[in-house]
Amino acid sequence: MAKPRKPKNEDAKPDNSGPVVRHQKLCLSIDVDKRRIYGYSELKIVVPEIGIVGLHAENLGIESVSVDGEQTEFEYYPQSNHKDAESERRWSWVTSPSSAADAAGSTYISALERELVPNLLINCCKAFKAGSDPQEQLLGDNEVQQSSGEAKQNVRLVRVDYWVEKAEAGIYFHDAILHTDNQIRRARCWFPCIDDNSQSCCYDLEFTVAQNLVAVSTGNLLYQVLSKDDPPRKTYVYRLDVPVSARWISLVVAPFEILPDQQFGLISHMCLPINLSKLRNTVEFFHSAFSCYKDYLAIEFPFGSYKQVFIEPEMAVSSLSSGASMSVFSSQVLFDEKIIDQTIDTRIKLAFALARQWFGVYITPEAPNDEWLLDGLAGFLTDFFIKKHLGNNEARYRRYKANCAVCKADDSGATALSSAASCKDLYGTQCIGIYSKIRSWKSVAILQMLEKQMGPESFRKILQAIVNRAPDKIRSLRSLSTKEFRHFANKVGNLERPFLKEFFPRWVELCGCPLLRMGFSYNKRKNMVELAVLRGCTGGSDSIASAVNANPEPEKRDIDNGWPGMMSIRAHELDGTFDHPVLPMAGETWQLLEIQCHSKLAARRFQKPKKSSKLDGADDNGDATPALDMRSSMESPLLWMRADPEIEYLAEIHFNQPVQMWINQLEKDKDVVAQAQAIATLESLPQLSFSVVNALNNFLIDSKAFWRVRIEAAFALANTASEDTDWAGLLHLVKFYKSRRFDANIGLPKPNDFHDISEYFVLEAIPHAIAMVRAADKKSPREAVEFVLQLLKYNDNNGNPYSDVFWLAALIESVGELEFGQQSILLLSSLLKRIDRLLQFDRLMPSYNGILSVSCIRALTQIALKLLGFVPMDRVFELVKPFRDIKAVWQVRVEASRALLDLEFHCKGIDAALQLFIKYLDEETSFRGQVKLAVHAMRLCQIRGGSDLTDNIRSETLVALLRLLEGQMAFNNIFLRHHLFCILQILAGRPPTLYGVPRDHKPFHLGDAESFQEQKNIFAAFIPESKYVEPPSEAPNLSHDDLTAPETSRDVFAAPEMFTDGFSIPDPETSRDGFALPAASKDDLGAPEPTTDGFGAPEPPGGGLGDPEPSGGSLVAKEPSIGGVGAPEPPIGSFDGLTVSEPIKDSLAVLEPFKDADTVSNSHKRKLTVKIRVKSSATTSRAEGDNQTVERSQGGHLETDRGASSSVSVDAPHKNFAEVSLSNQNLEEVNSWHDLGSRMTASIGSAKLASDVDDIGKELQCTADSSKVSALPQPEDPSPSFIQDNRDAEVQKYASLQELSVPRNDINGGSSGMADSLPRGKEKEKKKDKEKKRKRDGHKGHRDNPEYLERKRLKKEKKQKEKEIAKLLNESAKVPSTELPSKTEVHGVKSATVQLRPVEPSGSNKLAITGVETARPAPSEGATSATPSGTTSATPKFRIKTKIRTLNNP
């Protein structure tokens, strides 16, 4: 029994073969004045058998390393971002956005992979002879308790003495403040560690600072020690008893003011002295959030203390940086009692940071595929706080807007939450940028869907079970996986296994949301509603297929495009409201449902008068539309209908019902989601009636309605205002505002009074809505401009206890929305004077976060861009440029830079804007400012991509962006690095994500990649247990036989500021409330186009990298390896029915399945490729298989344009007639195929042989050219449709690549490669023999099958008949192959094998192919050919008749 167990133990060893940190101690001495950090770190590590421990360290100076108190050897390989002189030539081949995007993907991926490799190698072999007792004594109190088996492992105490060389990444100095952040893989920049989320341990922390400073760090503060130095220094000692990864260790040193929480003693709030009053006002609510989570989870806070630290926004990399038991915020979220607008956002942000302490820091994801679950649970907990303390309307409205944004963006594999291609393979970048927001919103929505299915109380019990099991001492890793959560949903939530088996794979592991289109009719006789539903998906079929292919598990492949469960339809009838869960979300896409009505119509008393009124036709035709609406509402008992009223599904629903029913829904439904849906539908009606305008106005003036929906009604009124409705919407808006804010006696605005908070928000949005009203000439009416000017002129905040800074900012931004016409342009000077006065006032007395100056700069820029031809841009530049002063408020400086980038872009194009962006990026000192500038530049690139601009980007600009991407600035700021990568992808028309970027092409990094490979080899020799992840040999989700990648990439939407909490309100259409999320376009966020080898490696320009043989000679396509790596580019042509289109310069090659045999496509570089099925004689079948040749064509380099041409690839079927199809785009070329220099453009559908045996044949691929064409026989195809028939055979996948040779054009323009490819016949003969042997092996099992024996007998008879026919053909074929005298007399196509001669030149255009030869062709001009000596080949000749009918020439 012992022997069988040994393999099991050996199999288990690799899981624990790497070093494991049990405990870490960090002691640092910090001198803020001299900006010095030095100290040591002690790690208790389980050393692997190899005796080498690999740690991560960067920007550190390693003084010494000791193991168990003895000095030891170590090797340190810091990343070198300094490039030598040779690196200047590394990007010389980058000449277009496409090649730059390829280089950016290679650079980014290689940098991320380098970060996974430990670069501090420590030799622990010398201490191996020590006994086990000293090892057990190393275990301290503050250490993860291990089992007895693990305690006997080789535990060593490793001490590293070091200093921080450059405090530029992970840890930063700013004036008298030092702070860290939790950027991905940046903890190594201030202390050596195993910087991996899978490694967690307890920490002891000691920080010695100046006496007047406070050191705040993770864990509980044990004590403080005051030294006797001169000047005295203070040491803060912290202990963290909860194991966490190195990323969650945080430190902030500053002269803080500490504000203890009044309700909970373990909570402390800290900020700089200048912000103490704001801090006190901001955090007064925080105890309610803390107790809310504590009561919901029924457990105490997992850490012994919680600290909230607020630092200046210039210092922070992001608005929130989480650490274990502490959170670091930007101080711009603080507000005093006078500020109204910032309150809601700040409270949600602080509540989300606290929720992350539970789910994300305390409970960690087990794998990268499980990160969505922890992110969603933190968002779910935050949503619970919003619902309890900010109201159910606020929570439902936010969820509705977030769902709308997700439905618009969830259309590619990048938004699949739990798949290796969208999580693990992205190295954590999926948590950066707009996709992070979409994934976060989608995660919360999925968890709320589960809560609806199992009930709130069951879902609460699941969260309690997850948190309560974490303190178990046996579980050192408090991790949670999707599989475990699915188990909880089954056991605790009582959800059935079949439902969960469909729910998680479809919602979590795939992309796409349901897209439902509904309409209904009422059957009066049955008193039933007939509901028609068409179900679709927001994600394309290609994206879903790619996500399915990325998941090899069978249960994921069986999922169709449907979703589990039933959707409810709610019918509001005369007698009440009734829910009908009748709509299945799977099965047929078209559904027709019948819903029984519970109400009945009363008899109509006015039917008789209606009949009598029919005598007067004028009454019937007076107002037809309202009469129809009244009839439709009165002829059924339905008031209105809703689909999925409780938001049980993350779905995009388009419901079609009469206008009057939408009005009823707006007026009578109390649900904010129903009201918002009704407003959106009424606003988009093509024809507006006064009843719609009155309904919107009635809702606006209703003070009991939710204020956010009232704001939407105001903007809807503005959009409905036009001359057709007599400006009713504009009049209603002005009347509503004056009734609230104007003095009726004098007709001027009253002093501000903001006591009614909801009314304040609604009135604040009215000027912006009025400014969006447009006349027929797309200009603002004069009344709208005068109204905004009047509000600016008479604004008075005296006696108001609240600040009007946001109120004024909204007024100024409304000025920027105005469009000035001939009548209103005279008022522009008055508006500019008001803006200038506010700018000067804000410079003397800065407003809250500089918001007034920001709004003024933004409005001035918008006005300048609208009057681009009338306002000199130099004056605008001079006006805005002073605000970029380094002494200006951070937000104002960034906004001025944005404005100048906008002006540069609209005046000089994207290239000039990017150059200015690079300049501003070097000048910007704050990390957040750099990120905001990069986000804005990315937005400009999206605008450029969605417009018709044809401006080119210089290669110098692209190279400068690439250098920034690999430079030190990008390494220090991972958010900036990611957005630089996204900019280069957007410029090439690709989605801004690492998802789908090929992992196999690394020719872009020469020196850097080689040095990294050498370093990786060193690590592999010393520490094979390192966590380095090899790049996959094939890009995920790309398969050349069943997937076609889209050629265009989706436009990308970017929010103006990415908050890490994920709870800013998304608005896909407008930025009404200040929460902007531009709408996603309907292009594809697809993966880059795959090439023939299946992993999308781009084809470099001619002569560039990736061209192994630039000189003459042929390159035979070798059989690819197991992973497909190393397969060279296939020739431009067709491989068994697949058309390979030659890529445009510097773009990816696209391999598309050939589906239509009658398609003719245009290209400047493609050749006409014709496939004809012919029958070979038995005497030459072997010779054709042995003597493989490659088709030739006379032409220049790949980059050379030889004039207009057309190409077509046809797999000719067996038919009894010949077909020719013509493309409408090529009529002139087809009609003039016999002209000089033109290329024949036709599609030969089939060719009938002069034989009765049509089912045995061979494909002959030839290239038809009017000047010179050579067509040679192809090797025998084992199966005409081998992609479908032999899909499971790995060798058959690349059959065409193995059997074809790649034509290589020489420098002189000829086509070389024929002679060099012939000597390889022996190699191909061996491959063919292997194929035959495989087939014979496959047929062994059929020898006893009678049907198989009968087919074999028939096959032999046909072969015998074939030999006889071939013999007759050889004797009867006497027509010689004649060459045409000159190009001017071309009436046929000269070829080595096929001759086309006109049969009836005077009549219709008919061609007869009279002979087909496979003998060695004579040498022709510009091309030579040779046949290996000793080989003989017979000449099979066939009589093929083909008719070509063209259009009559005029």
Side-chain angles (χ1 to χ4, degrees):
M1 297 298 292
K3 291 184 179 179
R5 292 177 182 174
K6 287 184 179 180
K8 296 182 180 180
N9 295 334
E10 291 174 0
D11 292 341
K13 285 182 180 179
D15 297 336
N16 298 324
S17 60
V20 178
V21 181
R22 294 278 190 84
H23 179 266
Q24 185 163 0
K25 181 179 181 180
L26 182 61
C27 298
L28 291 179
S29 179
I30 301 168
D31 191 340
V32 176
D33 297 332
K34 297 181 180 179
R35 301 200 169 190
R36 293 180 55 195
I37 306 172
Y38 56 92
Y40 67 90
S41 179
E42 290 182 351
L43 301 92
K44 294 177 182 177
I45 304 179
V46 178
V47 179
E49 293 181 357
I50 194 174
I52 303 295
V53 171
L55 303 179
H56 296 98
E58 198 61 50
N59 292 342
L60 304 180
I62 307 300
E63 182 178 348
S64 63
V65 178
S66 62
V67 177
D68 292 339
E70 298 182 4
Q71 295 291 328
T72 186
E73 298 177 353
F74 68 93
E75 295 184 14
Y76 181 36
Y77 303 93
Q79 292 188 21
S80 176
N81 289 289
H82 175 70
K83 303 299 176 185
D84 53 11
E86 295 182 358
S87 65
E88 296 297 328
R89 298 190 296 270
R90 296 172 66 244
W91 309 119
S92 59
W93 62 275
V94 175
T95 56
S96 68
S98 179
S99 57
D102 296 337
S106 175
T107 302
Y108 196 19
I109 291 174
S110 61
L112 292 170
E113 288 176 347
R114 268 199 307 272
E115 294 176 1
L116 300 178
V117 183
N119 55 352
L120 176 58
L121 306 181
I122 302 172
N123 186 4
C124 301
C125 298
K126 293 182 179 180
F128 273 4
K129 296 181 180 180
S132 61
D133 295 337
Q135 298 170 17
E136 296 177 358
Q137 293 176 1
L138 293 176
L139 299 176
D141 297 334
N142 185 26
E143 185 173 335
V144 181
Q145 297 294 327
Q146 304 291 338
S147 63
S148 59
E150 293 178 345
K152 297 179 181 179
Q153 293 177 349
N154 183 27
V155 180
R156 298 299 172 199
L157 180 63
V158 178
R159 171 169 171 153
V160 181
D161 293 272
Y162 70 97
W163 70 92
V164 178
E165 290 182 339
K166 296 178 294 183
E168 298 176 350
I171 189 167
Y172 316 93
F173 285 103
H174 190 277
D175 295 337
I177 300 175
L178 176 138
H179 69 97
T180 64
D181 60 48
N182 65 334
Q183 292 189 81
I184 303 174
R185 295 181 289 274
R186 291 299 177 269
R188 66 189 69 181
C189 295
W190 66 287
F191 67 96
C193 58
I194 298 182
D195 201 358
D196 192 341
N197 290 335
S198 62
Q199 292 275 358
S200 64
C201 65
C202 300
Y203 285 83
D204 282 329
L205 308 169
E206 297 181 8
F207 303 105
T208 302
V209 298
Q211 184 180 7
N212 62 327
L213 299 178
V214 179
V216 186
S217 186
T218 54
N220 300 325
L221 178 62
L222 300 182
Y223 51 87
Q224 306 174 30
V225 178
L226 188 63
S227 68
K228 298 181 180 179
D229 300 336
D230 189 19
R233 295 169 62 81
K234 187 181 292 186
T235 301
Y236 292 82
V237 180
Y238 290 89
R239 169 170 290 181
L240 182 61
D241 296 326
V242 178
V244 297
S245 60
R247 178 186 178 186
W248 304 119
I249 302 300
S250 300
L251 171 65
V252 183
V253 178
F256 283 131
E257 290 285 343
I258 302 174
L259 180 66
D261 193 85
Q262 300 296 327
Q263 302 291 333
F264 298 95
L266 55 87
I267 302 177
S268 301
H269 315 284
M270 306 177 191
C271 70
L272 296 177
I274 192 174
N275 296 321
L276 184 59
S277 60
K278 293 181 181 180
L279 176 67
R280 185 175 288 106
N281 180 75
T282 302
V283 301
E284 63 180 2
F285 86 100
F286 190 73
H287 67 276
S288 60
F290 194 85
S291 58
C292 174
Y293 296 161
K294 178 182 174 182
D295 296 340
Y296 183 79
L297 298 174
I299 193 175
E300 294 293 333
F301 187 65
F303 302 99
S305 63
Y306 181 62
K307 286 87 64 178
Q308 292 190 127
V309 183
F310 298 86
I311 60 177
E312 294 301 318
E314 300 96 295
M315 310 177 196
V317 178
S318 59
S319 59
L320 167 62
S321 177
S322 297
S325 76
M326 67 179 294
S327 299
V328 182
F329 301 92
S330 168
S331 61
Q332 71 176 9
V333 302
L334 298 175
F335 59 91
D336 55 28
E337 64 277 0
K338 296 182 179 180
I339 301 298
I340 299 175
D341 299 65
Q342 188 65 39
T343 305
I344 295 177
D345 292 338
T346 296
R347 291 188 175 183
I348 293 176
K349 185 179 291 294
L350 299 185
F352 175 77
L354 180 60
R356 286 291 290 177
Q357 294 293 317
W358 292 94
F359 300 105
V361 181
Y362 182 59
I363 307 295
T364 59
E366 187 172 293
N369 293 358
D370 305 317
E371 290 179 356
W372 75 272
L373 183 56
L374 278 305
D375 194 18
L377 288 174
F380 179 87
L381 213 57
T382 309
D383 190 75
F384 178 77
F385 164 78
I386 295 173
K387 187 183 303 181
K388 189 172 182 179
H389 290 275
L390 297 179
N392 189 55
N393 286 342
E394 181 76 16
R396 284 184 63 84
Y397 184 84
R398 284 177 174 271
R399 182 183 175 190
Y400 166 68
K401 286 297 182 181
N403 288 3
C404 290
V406 172
C407 290
K408 289 183 178 295
D410 187 17
D411 50 13
S412 71
T415 52
L417 297 179
S418 181
S419 67
S422 62
C423 299
K424 183 178 179 181
D425 296 345
L426 301 190
Y427 309 102
T429 59
Q430 71 273 12
C431 300
I432 306 175
I434 185 60
Y435 282 104
S436 172
K437 307 286 288 183
I438 299 301
R439 292 170 63 90
S440 177
W441 290 330
K442 184 179 179 181
S443 303
V444 177
I446 289 175
L447 292 177
Q448 289 174 336
M449 288 162 55
L450 278 176
E451 184 200 25
K452 290 288 184 181
Q453 294 291 334
M454 67 180 66
E457 195 60 31
S458 297
F459 195 84
R460 178 183 179 184
K461 291 180 180 178
I462 291 178
L463 298 192
Q464 291 176 354
I466 293 172
V467 177
N468 286 326
R469 69 171 186 168
D472 188 359
K473 296 298 183 181
I474 299 178
R475 293 179 55 90
S476 60
L477 262 178
R478 293 160 172 81
S479 60
L480 178 66
S481 66
T482 306
K483 185 177 180 180
E484 290 176 330
F485 190 79
R486 181 170 163 178
H487 176 74
F488 277 120
N490 175 246
K491 295 298 182 182
V492 182
N494 296 322
L495 293 181
E496 297 179 355
R497 288 182 182 272
F499 172 81
L500 295 173
K501 190 176 181 180
E502 295 180 3
F503 183 89
F504 278 89
R506 188 60 189 88
W507 281 108
V508 178
E509 296 163 8
L510 297 180
C511 61
C513 300
L515 176 61
L516 301 174
R517 303 182 186 276
M518 303 182 183
F520 74 93
S521 64
Y522 175 67
N523 191 326
K524 185 177 180 181
R525 183 175 61 86
K526 297 182 180 180
N527 194 27
M528 298 181 69
V529 175
E530 297 174 347
L531 181 68
V533 182
L534 172 61
R535 189 187 73 247
C537 181
T538 58
S541 58
D542 292 340
S543 60
I544 295 177
S546 64
V548 171
N549 293 335
N551 297 304
E553 286 78 1
E555 69 174 13
K556 300 168 188 173
R557 292 185 174 273
D558 295 338
I559 299 298
D560 61 356
N561 291 338
W563 290 263
M566 304 283 286
M567 180 178 285
S568 295
I569 306 297
R570 178 172 293 177
H572 294 264
E573 305 178 20
L574 294 173
D575 294 345
T577 302
F578 304 93
D579 286 345
H580 306 274
V582 294
L583 177 58
M585 296 299 291
E588 296 293 332
T589 56
W590 282 97
Q591 308 237 5
L592 184 61
L593 308 175
E594 292 184 346
I595 300 175
Q596 184 66 47
C597 292
H598 297 76
S599 306
K600 293 185 179 180
L601 286 174
R604 289 203 236 175
R605 300 177 181 178
F606 52 85
Q607 285 183 350
K608 290 184 178 180
K610 188 174 182 180
K611 291 181 180 178
S612 62
S613 66
K614 286 184 178 180
L615 298 175
D616 186 8
D619 293 339
D620 290 341
N621 299 328
D623 193 2
T625 303
L628 287 175
D629 290 341
M630 289 301 294
R631 271 204 305 274
S632 63
S633 61
M634 294 301 297
E635 287 181 354
S636 69
L638 295 174
L639 298 177
W640 72 93
M641 294 184 67
R642 289 186 62 195
D644 193 23
E646 297 299 327
I647 321 182
E648 296 177 347
Y649 284 89
L650 177 61
E652 181 178 347
I653 302 174
H654 301 276
F655 201 93
N656 187 18
Q657 61 182 353
V659 176
Q660 185 59 41
M661 300 183 85
W662 286 112
I663 295 176
N664 293 341
Q665 179 173 325
L666 176 62
E667 293 178 344
K668 300 179 180 180
D669 203 322
K670 301 304 180 183
D671 183 15
V672 293
V673 176
Q675 296 165 357
Q677 290 173 343
I679 290 174
T681 304
L682 294 175
E683 180 183 359
S684 61
L685 291 175
Q687 293 181 353
L688 295 170
S689 61
F690 285 99
S691 60
V692 173
V693 177
N694 291 334
L696 293 172
N697 179 58
N698 292 336
F699 188 84
L700 172 64
I701 63 179
D702 185 7
S703 59
K704 296 181 180 179
F706 184 48
W707 62 271
R708 291 193 187 274
V709 187
R710 292 174 65 192
I711 290 175
E712 289 201 3
F715 281 93
L717 276 175
N719 290 333
T720 60
S722 63
E723 296 177 357
D724 297 337
T725 58
D726 295 333
W727 304 106
L730 175 61
L731 297 178
H732 283 313
L733 288 172
V734 174
K735 181 180 179 181
F736 168 73
Y737 190 93
K738 288 185 175 181
S739 65
R740 281 359 187 230
R741 297 283 299 111
F742 270 58
D743 191 336
N745 297 326
I746 60 176
L748 294 177
K750 295 185 292 186
N752 296 334
D753 184 7
F754 300 154
H755 284 92
D756 191 342
I757 302 300
S758 62
E759 201 74 13
Y760 159 79
F761 283 120
V762 174
L763 292 173
E764 186 182 54
I766 296 299
H768 195 179
I770 291 175
M772 295 181 66
V773 176
R774 296 291 182 265
D777 58 352
K778 303 300 180 182
K779 303 296 182 182
S780 299
R782 183 181 177 88
E783 295 79 7
V785 180
E786 291 177 344
F787 180 77
V788 175
L789 176 61
Q790 188 180 26
L791 296 183
L792 265 179
K793 185 176 181 180
Y794 294 102
N795 179 69
D796 182 9
N797 203 51
N798 291 328
N800 186 22
Y802 298 100
S803 172
D804 65 342
V805 57
F806 284 93
W807 180 272
L808 276 174
L811 277 177
I812 296 169
E813 289 181 2
S814 64
V815 174
E817 293 290 338
L818 293 170
E819 290 283 354
F820 297 95
Q822 294 181 354
Q823 297 181 353
S824 58
I825 193 66
L826 301 176
L827 303 174
L828 179 60
S829 59
S830 299
L831 289 170
L832 293 178
K833 288 180 181 178
R834 297 292 168 184
I835 293 176
D836 182 66
R837 179 178 299 179
L838 290 173
L839 268 176
Q840 301 300 328
F841 177 79
D842 197 50
R843 180 174 295 180
L844 296 176
M845 299 179 62
S847 59
Y848 175 76
N849 289 337
I851 188 173
L852 269 186
S853 295
V854 169
S855 301
C856 291
I857 294 172
R858 190 173 299 164
L860 288 174
T861 306
Q862 290 178 334
I863 294 173
L865 292 176
K866 292 173 182 177
L867 305 175
L868 202 57
F870 307 97
V871 178
M873 288 296 104
D874 296 339
R875 298 292 301 274
V876 182
F877 267 91
E878 294 175 0
L879 178 63
V880 177
K881 200 169 184 179
F883 292 97
R884 290 197 64 254
D885 185 11
I886 196 65
K887 297 180 180 179
V889 181
W890 167 76
Q891 292 91 340
V892 176
R893 184 174 71 246
V894 172
E895 186 60 37
S897 300
R898 284 173 170 174
L900 296 177
L901 287 176
D902 284 337
L903 296 172
E904 191 79 5
F905 170 71
H906 287 91
C907 295
K908 300 181 182 179
I910 187 63
D911 184 73
L914 288 176
Q915 290 180 354
L916 191 63
F917 159 70
I918 294 172
K919 176 186 175 184
Y920 289 169
L921 205 59
D922 293 334
E923 297 174 357
E924 181 60 43
T925 57
S926 65
F927 284 170
R928 292 192 68 195
Q930 294 172 355
V931 175
K932 286 182 177 294
L933 289 178
V935 170
H936 192 71
M938 189 171 71
R939 214 187 237 168
L940 295 179
C941 296
Q942 294 167 3
I943 296 174
R944 180 244 184 193
S947 63
D948 296 332
L949 296 178
T950 58
D951 55 334
N952 295 324
I953 304 174
R954 297 189 305 166
S955 59
E956 292 83 357
T957 305
L958 298 174
V959 171
L961 289 173
L962 287 171
R963 287 174 182 157
L964 276 177
L965 179 64
E966 68 171 0
Q968 186 66 36
M969 181 187 297
F971 177 82
N972 298 340
N973 190 346
I974 64 170
F975 303 103
L976 172 65
R977 181 175 66 176
H978 184 75
H979 286 98
L980 287 172
F981 164 77
C982 293
I983 288 173
L984 289 166
Q985 298 300 308
I986 293 173
L987 289 176
R990 303 176 188 176
T993 174
L994 204 59
Y995 175 81
V997 175
R999 300 298 200 273
D1000 56 325
H1001 58 278
K1002 291 189 178 180
F1004 310 114
H1005 285 271
L1006 293 179
D1008 189 53
E1010 291 172 358
S1011 62
F1012 169 58
Q1013 190 68 24
E1014 181 182 357
Q1015 177 182 346
K1016 190 184 78 171
N1017 293 336
I1018 295 175
F1019 291 159
F1022 284 95
I1023 46 170
E1025 72 280 356
S1026 63
K1027 298 294 181 180
Y1028 176 75
V1029 180
E1030 288 291 341
S1033 57
E1034 291 185 6
N1037 310 335
L1038 299 180
S1039 177
H1040 74 285
D1041 55 353
D1042 59 354
L1043 179 62
T1044 302
E1047 295 182 0
T1048 58
S1049 62
R1050 282 191 188 270
D1051 191 15
V1052 179
F1053 35 87
E1057 180 176 357
M1058 304 303 169
F1059 287 127
T1060 57
D1061 56 6
F1063 283 92
S1064 57
I1065 295 182
D1067 193 348
E1069 299 175 358
T1070 62
S1071 57
R1072 300 171 179 174
D1073 322 308
F1075 306 96
L1077 182 67
S1081 66
K1082 293 301 179 184
D1083 304 324
D1084 253 342
L1085 272 170
E1089 298 85 358
T1091 57
T1092 54
D1093 48 12
F1095 42 79
E1099 181 182 0
L1105 298 175
D1107 190 358
E1109 296 185 14
S1111 61
S1114 68
L1115 179 63
V1116 178
K1118 301 179 181 179
E1119 181 178 357
S1121 61
I1122 296 175
V1125 179
E1129 285 290 328
I1132 306 300
S1134 67
F1135 300 150
D1136 297 296
L1138 293 177
T1139 298
V1140 183
S1141 58
E1142 184 172 356
I1144 306 174
K1145 184 178 181 181
D1146 299 321
S1147 65
L1148 293 177
V1150 184
L1151 178 66
E1152 300 178 355
F1154 188 83
K1155 297 179 181 179
D1156 192 357
D1158 298 332
T1159 304
V1160 179
S1161 58
N1162 290 331
S1163 174
H1164 288 289
K1165 299 179 182 180
R1166 298 178 182 173
K1167 305 167 188 174
L1168 179 64
T1169 305
V1170 184
K1171 284 190 176 182
I1172 309 174
R1173 286 191 186 277
V1174 300
K1175 183 176 57 183
S1176 63
S1177 64
T1179 58
T1180 59
S1181 60
R1182 292 188 178 273
E1184 291 174 356
D1186 297 340
N1187 301 326
Q1188 297 296 328
T1189 56
V1190 183
E1191 63 181 18
R1192 299 178 302 159
S1193 63
Q1194 181 179 3
H1197 195 266
L1198 286 175
E1199 299 293 334
T1200 307
D1201 189 2
R1202 290 179 56 87
S1205 66
S1206 301
S1207 68
V1208 60
S1209 176
V1210 180
D1211 191 0
H1214 292 283
K1215 296 182 182 178
N1216 295 326
F1217 59 93
E1219 298 177 344
V1220 175
S1221 67
L1222 303 175
S1223 172
N1224 294 331
Q1225 301 175 357
N1226 299 317
L1227 294 179
E1228 296 180 358
E1229 293 183 9
V1230 173
N1231 292 332
S1232 60
W1233 61 272
H1234 55 275
D1235 293 339
L1236 173 63
S1238 66
R1239 300 190 177 187
M1240 186 177 73
T1241 305
S1243 177
I1244 302 177
S1246 65
K1248 183 178 185 242
L1249 305 181
S1251 171
D1252 296 331
V1253 186
D1254 291 338
D1255 57 333
I1256 299 177
K1258 175 188 255 191
E1259 291 183 1
L1260 174 68
Q1261 177 171 331
C1262 61
T1263 302
D1265 195 323
S1266 62
S1267 57
K1268 289 188 186 299
V1269 179
S1270 65
L1272 296 175
Q1274 299 300 310
E1276 184 174 355
D1277 193 352
S1279 174
S1281 57
F1282 67 91
I1283 293 180
Q1284 286 78 15
D1285 297 339
N1286 301 321
R1287 185 173 298 172
D1288 56 341
E1290 185 66 21
V1291 182
Q1292 289 294 325
K1293 281 187 177 181
Y1294 302 92
S1296 58
L1297 290 178
Q1298 297 167 12
E1299 296 172 357
L1300 290 177
S1301 299
V1302 180
R1304 181 69 60 178
N1305 293 334
D1306 59 10
I1307 300 175
N1308 299 326
S1311 176
S1312 62
M1314 178 73 70
D1316 294 338
S1317 64
L1318 292 176
R1320 304 197 180 190
K1322 294 183 179 180
E1323 180 182 352
K1324 298 193 175 182
E1325 183 178 1
K1326 294 180 180 179
K1327 294 180 181 178
K1328 185 178 179 182
D1329 293 338
K1330 291 181 180 179
E1331 282 292 312
K1332 291 183 177 180
K1333 183 178 179 181
R1334 187 188 63 80
K1335 287 186 176 182
R1336 288 197 301 268
D1337 296 338
H1339 291 318
K1340 287 181 179 178
H1342 301 286
R1343 291 177 178 176
D1344 299 333
N1345 191 350
E1347 296 179 1
Y1348 170 75
L1349 296 176
E1350 180 67 18
R1351 288 197 303 266
K1352 190 174 181 180
R1353 185 183 63 80
L1354 293 175
K1355 188 174 181 181
K1356 288 183 179 180
E1357 293 179 359
K1358 290 180 180 179
K1359 285 186 177 181
Q1360 186 65 26
K1361 193 174 182 180
E1362 177 189 3
K1363 290 180 181 180
E1364 297 175 359
I1365 295 174
K1367 186 176 180 180
L1368 294 174
L1369 287 175
N1370 289 333
E1371 295 175 356
S1372 61
K1374 298 180 180 180
V1375 182
S1377 300
T1378 58
E1379 292 189 5
L1380 300 179
S1382 63
K1383 294 182 180 179
T1384 59
E1385 299 178 0
V1386 175
H1387 294 286
V1389 179
K1390 178 182 177 181
S1391 172
T1393 59
V1394 180
Q1395 288 79 30
L1396 305 176
R1397 64 180 180 84
V1399 180
E1400 299 176 5
S1402 60
S1404 62
N1405 294 331
K1406 295 183 180 180
L1407 297 179
I1409 302 177
T1410 59
V1412 179
E1413 302 179 4
T1414 57
R1416 182 189 311 171
S1420 58
E1421 180 184 354
T1424 60
S1425 65
T1427 305
S1429 60
T1431 60
T1432 60
S1433 61
T1435 308
K1437 299 181 180 180
F1438 309 95
R1439 185 167 297 146
I1440 304 174
K1441 294 183 180 181
T1442 303
K1443 294 183 180 180
I1444 300 180
R1445 295 190 297 272
T1446 62
L1447 298 179
N1448 295 328
N1449 293 330

